[in-house]
Structures are given as C-alpha cells and as structure tokens.
Amino acid sequence: MSKSKIKKENLILVIVIALALGSRQLAMNIVTPFVAYYAQTLLFGSLVLGGIALGIFNLTQGFCQVPFGNLYDKIGGKKVVLIGLGALICGLFLSFISNNAYVYVLSRALQGSGAITSAAYSWLSKSVSPEERADSISLVGVVVGLASAIALGGGPVLIKFISVKTLYLASTIIVSLVFLFVLFFVKSDVVENTKKEKIEGKGIYLKKIFKDKKFISYLIIAFSANYIGIASFFLIPEYLKLSIGIDSMWKVLTPAILIAIVIMRISTKFIKKGYVKRVAFLAGIGTIIAGLLLLTESRNLLLLLIESILVFGAYTVVTALIPTVINDFVDDKFRGLVNGIANGCSYLGSFLGATISGLLFSNNLIIALIIILVIGIVFTCTTLIMSNGKKVGV
C-alpha cells in the first residue's frame, strides 16, 4: 500500500471517534486500580463484590458488543455512539452517588453496557477510504493509548488529593462534554434501509465467515491479546505495589504504555504495506517472552518494565491490527455485526484474564502465569494461518 494521509473532510470524524473512545478509556482506567478497594468501603462491601465490580465491566462490555454492532447496521454510527456514551454517563453518575456495594456493581455493569467500540470502528472504517483506514484506526489507537497512560499515571497521583467518588464525578463531566460534541457537531451517517433480504442474508453470511480460517484466526488473536494484556495488567501492578508501592506504579506503567504506543505507530506502517502476518507473529513472540519473564515472579523493576512493554506493545498492536484487517474484508451490510463479534471476543478475553488471574493470584499464582504463557503460544501459532485476503463470506 502506498502512503496516505487522512483527508481533511474525514479528519474531524476521526478526531471525534478518537475523543469518544479516548474519554471512555480515561473514565474507566483512571479508577480501575481502586475499584476493588472502593467497593469494600461501601455498605455491604466485601472483597468478593470488589472483584465482581472490577470484572463485570468487561463482561457486560463483551456481551453488548454484538447487539451494538448489529444496531449500527440498522441506525448508523452516530446514534449508537450517543446511546453508548449515554449509558456510560449514567453508569458513571450512578457510581458517584452510590453508597451501596450492590448498586456500585450495577453501575459498573451499566458502564460496560455502553459498548460503542464495534460501532465506532465500523463507522470510521465505512467513512474513510481503504487507503486511509490503517492511519485512521492508528490515530484513534494513539488517543486511546494516551488516555490510558494519563489515567494510569494520573490516577494514583490524583487519589492523594481527591476521592474515588470525585473521580467518578469528573469522569461523568468529561464524557458528557464529548457526548454533547458528538450530538451537535457531527453529521449523522447515512444507513441503507434494512430490507428482508438483508436480514435473511445475515445468517448465510455468518455461516460463511465462521468457516473462514482467516476470520477465526483474527478472533483467537483478539481474545488472546486481551486475555494476556488484562491478566498482566492485574499481575504486574500487584508486583509493583509490593516493590515500590501504589503511588509509584506510574513510573513503570506510564513509560511502558507510551513506548507501546510508539510500537503501535511503527507497526501500522508495516500493516499498511501488507505485513499483517509478520506483525501479528512478532506481537505473539512478545507475549511468549513476557510470559516466560512473568514466570520468574521477579520484582526487579527493569524486568517488570520489559514485561510491561512487551505485553502492552502486543496489546496495542493487536488493537490497531484487528479492526484494520476485519474492516478490510467485511461486507458493508454487516460491518457492525462482524466488528461486534470481534470486539466481543476481545472483551471476553479481558474478562477471563482479570477473573482467572484474580482467582488464582493468592494460592495458585504459578497456574495463572502458565495460562498466560500457553495463551501466548496459541496466539503465536495462530498467526501462522493468517493471510491477507480482502473479502470473505461474499
């Protein structure tokens, strides 16, 4: 592929989608290290409810990706993004006002139900040319990555001065501003009328893509990268808390994420040139190396930094790669649905990564680490059956 820049007429939409996903990432990540602890400070709070509150976001996020993607195919991206942001705003505000741990768990589930990722990437991919697609998705990934870095670095610092409750209020305001910007300054996208033939064709199309090895490989890679990424995001901070304390975790996590963003930007250039398989393979190798280093259970800061860079690097690369390749071959009529399936697999990996690692951390840590390594090996082997075809299921 030749070099391409994002056209001016498309740049506003790309920025808006980046802001929508970035503000959502900021709102969720800035409180993530404190979710389990905060739940325990509320009425009826317990360690178990704290764990549920942490994991239920990814669970509802995963379940809602397909319905939201399917809804995109019917009503368009702008309306779905507004619905999703609205659900997130309600969930954040409910977290702000809740004094009951059960209500807090409900608020986290509501936040996760605003599953706009599949609709946002579908909207973006349909609106820009194929030549602009990789750069556009990469730019969104950079904003989301920076939001994560700011949240991870800023959260532990801000918590010294303001409460978790106040963080939820600030997040509610930020996402509300983005909601208003999308509502008033972005044109609605045009959606083809949903006809009976389209509905009937959906089942046939899904059967075909699920028989396609390339598509299945993308789902496995999306699941694996997210499982490893979130499991490591759970484990590495635990190691850092023991070695340098929660207040200093940002010294390792923030540089690792910033380096991972650079890795993602570099990988995008190779993805555009058609080296999808090689990029995915290298990301898989990175997860294997990280898995082997994690098995040492070392608290050495340099090793923890290397592990973080490898894991977050692979995670951000896949975050840019999967939407790009998925939207290169998907039929326009079912773009939202297929993106929903891919994102659903990603969030299922995130949920299981956090849940399984959390359950095994205290008494069976070695098993949690072996699972990460095995999934890294599966990830890497799966890249060997990838290919760079265009349309599938047509």
Side-chain angles (χ1 to χ4, degrees), residues 17 20 68 76-86 116 119-120 123 179 182:
I17 290 175
F68 267 67
K78 179 177 177 177
K79 292 178 182 177
V80 174
V81 167
L82 287 173
I83 292 170
L85 289 177
I116 63 171
W123 185 14
F179 177 93
V182 175

Side-chain angles (χ1 to χ4, degrees), residues 107-122:
S107 74
R108 291 279 300 170
L110 184 56
Q111 291 161 28
S113 70
I116 63 171
T117 309
S118 55
Y121 279 124
S122 298

Side-chain angles (χ1 to χ4, degrees), residues 120-152:
Y121 279 124
S122 298
W123 185 14
L124 175 65
S125 299
K126 188 176 181 180
S127 300
V128 302
S129 67
E131 292 75 23
E132 297 173 276
R133 190 171 291 148
D135 283 321
S136 300
I137 291 174
S138 177
L139 178 57
V140 172
V142 168
V143 174
V144 171
L146 286 173
S148 294
I150 292 169
L152 290 172

Side-chain angles (χ1 to χ4, degrees), residues 220-241:
I220 293 172
I221 288 169
F223 173 90
S224 301
N226 279 269
Y227 182 101
I228 294 168
I230 300 302
S232 301
F233 182 71
F234 175 85
L235 295 172
I236 292 173
E238 289 296 325
Y239 291 165
L240 290 172
K241 277 194 280 187

Side-chain angles (χ1 to χ4, degrees), residues 273-302:
K273 293 178 180 178
Y275 298 120
V276 171
K277 189 172 180 177
R278 296 180 188 180
V279 169
F281 179 76
L282 290 175
I285 292 294
T287 63
I288 292 177
I289 296 172
L292 291 170
L293 291 176
L294 283 168
L295 274 172
T296 66
E297 297 184 42
S298 173
R299 306 297 192 268
N300 180 278
L301 289 184
L302 179 59

